[in-house]
Amino acid sequence: MENASEYLGLLLLLIIIGGFVFRAKYPKIPSWSIMSFAASLAILTGLIPINSVSNVIDWDVILFLIGMFSIVSIAESSGLLDYMAAKLVMYSKSRLSILYLLSLFFGILASIMVNDAVAVVGTSLSVIIAKSLDLSFEPVAILLAFSITIGSTMTPLGNPQNMLIATQTNINAPLIMFLKYLAIPTIINLVITTYFIIRYYKIKNLKKEFFIGVPQEFIKNKKDAYISLGAVILVIVFLLINDFLELYRLPHITSIGIIPFTISAFTYIFISEPRQILSKVNWGTVVFFITMFIATQGIWNSGVLYGLLHILLPHIAKGTDNILRISAASLIISQLISNVPFTNLFIIYMHNLGYTQASTISWITLAMATTIAGNLTIFGAASNIIILDMLETKHGVTITYKNFMKIGLPVTLINFAIYVAYIIILFYF
């Protein structure tokens, strides 16, 4: 290392990595507090000039998160998500069909409602459903974890790193592009992953009617349920309209975070308990993102990661080599600093290499790879940690790191193979 800045950058990196390792033993320490500490050091040590702090925060992403989390908070509080799950189970006639439908349900839901929010609601549902199916909680909880990670891959709405890529790279028509390259392999992976879990846990089929409750009884507030459903539909419709306007070079919104934020802001005056809904918004994740922008920019400014990133992606690559290099870098480094901060750093690095708005395949590959890397270990994605935390605190059960990785490793490799093959086929044909 050539200067003090690199040592300071290394210190920040070690604090983030060490903090998440330490948090594995002490889950009461919130992830945002670790990132906040690193961000404060980035400012105090001068890696981020104090007058530049607000400039390094991507407020478009923050507005996107607040908007989506607000809508999800209304849906969760109203009982809409529980109602949908109960309906799904009620119409299934066998144990295996329920597992396949659950995977598709959680996956598609995560693609439009942010995976972390689905993890919160889905954990308790997975335990209830496991009991009704006469199964151990573990295979159903792991199915939930894999399904929401895989499902969240196919849209910019699905997870925070996709939101980052959609807003910071300015790719044309992000929702349409994500669906074009990732929707079909996502559905394939959801089905294959479910089949793999069934085989791995030796789950036998059982044909009978299953019941977790009368769906209508899960609705706590019908008006709020309709409002949240309408808000989700409006977000998707407006994003699609905006994408088409962009494709045809017509006036459109460039800061897409304003779309869910405006729609959610409009709904607050109509819902039953706006203060309660606002208090249930995942503000910890919002704080995590604000401080992550500061901490990761500080690490980038220090230059400490240039060497490793240069080895994995020394220059703009082409074709299959480009797709494989971005995938490998995402899989490896996401395990060190988690996928969201890695994505923020790697976007900066790729921009500096010369990747542009037109590098659609590269940005789509980055979105896929950083997301699917979360299936490798239980600490690879924030949604996994949420599921683990809720299992331990609310239900008194847990999934060990070893058990998760034993199935996570082959699932991750299968998922990667399918996504990469599909992206390469579309690239060449």
Side-chain angles (χ1 to χ4, degrees), residues 29 46 55 72 96 109 111 135 138-139 234 271 275 326 405:
I29 300 173
N55 296 329
V72 169
L96 297 190
L109 196 62
S111 74
L135 290 174
E138 186 172 298
L234 281 175
I271 57 179
R275 289 188 178 88
I326 293 173
M405 190 170 180

Side-chain angles (χ1 to χ4, degrees), residues 211-228:
F211 182 73
I212 62 172
V214 177
Q216 287 74 12
E217 291 181 355
F218 285 98
I219 296 291
K220 301 168 188 172
N221 189 305
K222 187 177 287 187
K223 183 185 78 171
D224 287 359
Y226 280 119
I227 288 173
S228 62

Side-chain angles (χ1 to χ4, degrees), residues 28 88 106 153 265 315:
K28 289 185 178 180
L88 189 74
F106 285 132
T153 305
H315 50 73

